[in-house]
Amino acid sequence: MALMRKLIATSSVVVIFLVSTVFARNILQILSENEDGICTSMVETQGYGCEEHKVTTDDGYILSLQRIPKGISGKTATKPPVLLQHGLLMDGITWLLSPPDESLAFILVDDGYDVWIANTRGTKYSQGHISLSSQDPAYWEWSWDELVDFDLPATFKYVHDQTGQKLHYVGHSLGTLIAFGALSENKLVDMLRSAALLSPIAYLGQIKSPLAKSASQDFIAEGLYWLGIHEFDPRGEAVVKLLEKICQDPSSNCSNLMNSFTGPNCCVNSSITDLFLEHEPQATATKNMVHIAQMTRKGTIEKFDYGSDEENKKHYGQPNPPQYIMSNIPNDMPLFLAYGGKDYLSDVNDVKILLNKLQDHDPNKLVVQYREDYAHADFVFGTNAKEVIYNSIMAFFKLN
């Protein structure tokens, strides 16, 4: 009963945390989604050719993958493949929401790259499984450890096998975290040319977002998990109704919730808001949210903590979760890291911890770019991101 009273008492924090994933003035208007695939709904509508692919992981999840093989001119790509990996509560549409001259996927393909867009398990177009339904609790029994162990290797291998080439990688937010985890365990190395990591997340102990900190400190994700809510769905009917009640309160400023969560983004154009709401935010596993909350409380980057020595021993053969050792990332792996001074999630001080762990990295293979005015979402939605970030990424790719 004490636990139940605590969960009820903190329910408002759950809602606020969920609200923070949606940045919109009319936050309650969840628009009907186009049931076609990403190629049909987001790429071909812009005049580009697109291919839909499916990848099956070793643990049975069936992932959606899109390929844009030609630029707007119709010319086939002549440069190596690039895999784009989205962040938390998003999917591959992240890279396609802005106009073509501002969206990284279109910018890369128009520059001659063979562009592939990943979608992690649990997102709308990656809810397949060889034996489970997404309605089964067992389907959602995973955290980002499984993205490191299964999703990313399967996607890399598929692109590598399809193209016969090593690939460049671009990750944002969670997409950087799983890359760090994989590279620290020597995964992907033989298939990777270079990695560009935007809003890099390896350590979360100093995040500035009051909403994310409150959710972590109050064990909100753990509460949902203990209650048997295995799918973390910010667009669920119950949440939408709660949002309506909160946003009717004159003291609630729902238009600024994105900034409250991600930091004061300097350069996100509000014109993409309606388009954003057609597709995002996406579901993830509650266990994944628990894992991230553990990172914020501990300030470490390690595997999922099962909460007791006994349970950890069952999974890892030791009482504590194994750490991902950042200094184990190959010193000659070309890395491009870009972070912002206003980012509430990829905090400057946490990035400094990461850079300290990489201090022995070959300086000729590590490029670090800092933008004082950028927050978390600017790196994927910023109207000037091409000029200040993406051009630098393409220059980095040409060297590697």
Side-chain angles (χ1 to χ4, degrees):
M1 290 300 295
L3 174 60
M4 184 62 69
R5 286 195 296 269
K6 178 177 175 62
L7 293 173
I8 293 172
T10 58
S11 61
S12 61
V13 181
V14 177
V15 176
I16 291 173
F17 179 69
L18 293 174
V19 172
S20 68
T21 65
V22 183
F23 67 105
R25 183 172 301 277
N26 186 14
I27 198 169
L28 305 172
Q29 185 180 7
I30 306 298
L31 303 178
S32 60
E33 294 195 11
N34 189 324
E35 291 303 322
D36 293 323
I38 291 176
C39 278
T40 301
S41 62
M42 298 299 299
V43 180
E44 293 170 359
T45 54
Q46 299 292 343
Y48 293 78
C50 188
E51 302 168 4
E52 292 280 358
H53 294 256
K54 294 289 185 183
V55 183
T56 302
T57 67
D58 285 347
D59 60 343
Y61 288 79
I62 301 171
L63 312 178
S64 169
L65 185 66
Q66 289 74 44
R67 183 186 195 181
I68 312 177
K70 300 179 181 180
I72 192 66
S73 66
K75 183 179 178 181
T76 301
T78 56
K79 297 179 181 178
V82 181
L83 177 65
L84 304 181
Q85 178 64 61
H86 60 82
L88 182 66
L89 301 177
M90 302 289 283
D91 66 357
I93 286 174
T94 294
W95 308 104
L96 303 164
L97 283 175
S98 297
D101 60 349
E102 296 176 6
S103 294
L104 181 57
F106 295 127
I107 290 169
L108 285 170
V109 74
D110 283 335
D111 198 54
Y113 289 95
D114 182 5
V115 174
W116 296 75
I117 301 173
N119 300 270
T120 60
R121 62 182 65 187
T123 56
K124 178 181 178 182
Y125 298 106
S126 291
Q127 292 198 353
H129 192 278
I130 59 174
S131 61
L132 296 172
S133 161
S134 61
Q135 302 301 311
D136 297 327
Y139 175 90
W140 298 98
E141 191 59 30
W142 52 267
S143 81
W144 60 264
D145 285 334
E146 281 68 36
L147 306 186
V148 169
D149 291 339
F150 300 109
D151 284 29
L152 208 54
T155 305
F156 261 69
K157 185 178 187 303
Y158 185 87
V159 174
H160 179 266
D161 290 351
Q162 288 288 310
T163 63
Q165 299 184 65
K166 290 186 176 183
L167 51 146
H168 297 293
Y169 176 85
V170 182
H172 175 247
S173 190
L174 185 71
T176 72
L177 175 60
I178 61 177
F180 287 132
L183 292 174
S184 74
E185 296 184 335
N186 207 38
K187 296 182 175 76
L188 317 179
V189 173
D190 59 345
M191 296 181 284
L192 181 62
R193 291 175 180 267
S194 71
L197 306 172
L198 311 179
S199 294
I201 288 179
Y203 300 93
L204 286 172
Q206 302 179 75
I207 59 172
K208 288 187 170 64
S209 168
L211 301 173
K213 287 172 69 173
S214 294
S216 170
Q217 293 166 0
D218 290 337
F219 291 79
I220 298 304
E222 284 85 349
L224 294 173
Y225 190 69
W226 295 333
L227 289 172
I229 302 174
H230 294 273
E231 178 185 0
F232 188 93
D233 183 7
R235 300 186 66 168
E237 181 179 356
V239 174
V240 172
K241 289 180 178 178
L242 289 170
L243 297 186
E244 182 177 13
K245 183 175 182 180
I246 290 174
C247 290
Q248 286 174 348
D249 185 340
S251 65
S252 298
N253 188 352
C254 290
S255 65
N256 287 329
L257 286 169
M258 181 189 184
N259 285 357
S260 297
F261 187 65
T262 66
N265 296 284
C266 67
C267 308
V268 174
N269 193 326
S270 61
S271 67
I272 69 168
T273 296
D274 287 347
L275 187 56
F276 174 89
L277 286 174
E278 289 183 28
H279 304 282
E280 317 291 356
Q282 294 282 324
T284 188
T286 304
K287 184 177 179 181
N288 192 33
M289 301 302 291
V290 172
H291 195 176
I292 292 167
Q294 292 173 353
M295 294 176 66
T296 67
R297 291 193 296 269
K298 295 182 177 182
T300 58
I301 176 170
E302 61 186 28
K303 294 183 183 292
F304 185 86
D305 189 342
Y306 285 89
S308 71
D309 291 355
E310 181 180 357
E311 285 300 312
N312 284 329
K313 284 181 180 179
K314 288 180 182 178
H315 290 86
Y316 308 122
Q318 61 186 57
N320 297 311
Q323 293 197 11
Y324 292 96
I325 308 299
M326 293 298 96
S327 58
N328 285 347
I329 294 174
N331 290 338
D332 59 350
M333 174 57 64
L335 299 177
F336 176 100
L337 307 183
Y339 67 110
K342 306 298 183 183
D343 197 327
Y344 281 5
L345 297 175
S346 178
D347 181 78
V348 169
N349 293 315
D350 282 327
V351 174
K352 287 180 178 178
I353 295 174
L354 169 64
L355 293 175
N356 184 59
K357 300 291 185 182
L358 298 175
Q359 61 183 328
D360 293 330
H361 207 86
D362 183 345
N364 294 318
K365 297 295 185 178
L366 178 61
V367 176
V368 179
Q369 186 167 344
Y370 174 71
R371 287 287 303 185
E372 174 61 35
D373 59 339
Y374 259 37
H376 205 67
D378 287 312
F379 287 96
V380 286
F381 300 133
T383 56
N384 63 345
K386 180 179 187 296
E387 290 72 28
V388 302
I389 302 293
Y390 301 160
N391 285 341
S392 297
I393 291 175
M394 289 187 288
F396 169 75
F397 284 167
K398 289 175 184 176
L399 295 174
N400 296 286

